[in-house]
Amino acid sequence: AQSVSQHNHHVILSEAASLELGCNYSYGGTVNLFWYVQYPGQHLQLLLKYFSGDPLVKGIKGFEAEFIKSKFSFNLRKPSVQWSDTAEYFCAVNEPGANNLFFGTGTRLTVIP
Amino acid sequence: ETGVTQSPTHLIKTRGQQVTLRCSSQSGHNTVSWYQQALGQGPQFIFQYYREEENGRGNFPPRFSGLQFPNYSSELNVNALELDDSALYLCASSLSVNEQFFGPGTRLTVL
């Protein structure tokens, strides 16, 4: 079975700091990779996704993620965070065509103005 | 907003009771997936429905069951509720399995 690890449980940053959230998965085959965000009181929203091609993926709101197959990683980055980025971030993975997403436990990001 | 709606927003039940949660999928989406998100955890896949048939199931006991209707809306039923069933239940709709759109969830508390 697949599993997803997010080692940072809670990250606190000041505005304008750079962000990198780690995500590692345990599956040796082809995977689709996702980052979802959950703002306080809101539903899960897709930030970005990787299916194939360029391993550097651009998402909404200035976020990007890099797929490194040799490290089974899909880390999320943003060069300069804003207070409005305060939220919970979830990494997820599935096999192409599979019917379920495997989620990590999430990383809570708090951005201090 | 994703266009996926869930009802009710919150629900309180006691152990042993049964509960039904409802989900309306985004217009045009024929696939609905249900997830359980316990406090401090990521969502866990319960099952998926595609065109009214169950299309995959996670590691949940049979007392978790579901339905999908011709308009692609869906229900999640949980029988014989246990304290550990307290969680946020998320519904996600999709046209393909590769991109799912989530609803706001139903917060279930079992006392």
Side-chain angles (χ1 to χ4, degrees), chain A residues 6 28-29 45 47 62:
Chain A
Q6 292 182 247
Q45 300 173 41
L47 263 183

Side-chain angles (χ1 to χ4, degrees), chain A residues 32 34 36 49 99 101, chain B residues 35 45 48 55 98-100:
Chain A
N32 296 325
F34 307 81
Y36 281 86
K49 62 191 178 192
N99 49 25
L101 289 168
Chain B
Y35 292 82
F45 176 71
Q48 183 183 86
N55 184 42
N98 287 331
E99 187 161 356
Q100 300 183 14

Side-chain angles (χ1 to χ4, degrees), chain B residues 37-87:
Chain B
Q37 186 178 9
L39 201 61
Q41 301 295 316
Q44 283 197 298
F45 176 71
I46 302 174
F47 43 56
Q48 183 183 86
Y49 279 83
Y50 170 67
R51 295 188 175 183
E52 304 178 59
E53 299 281 335
E54 189 177 287
N55 184 42
R57 189 179 182 91
N59 190 25
F60 281 82
R63 59 189 186 83
F64 285 78
S65 62
L67 281 175
Q68 188 179 32
F69 300 99
N71 66 355
Y72 302 133
S73 66
S74 177
E75 285 183 355
L76 164 65
N77 299 291
V78 187
N79 293 322
L81 282 167
E82 301 176 1
L83 296 179
D84 285 349
D85 295 333
S86 295

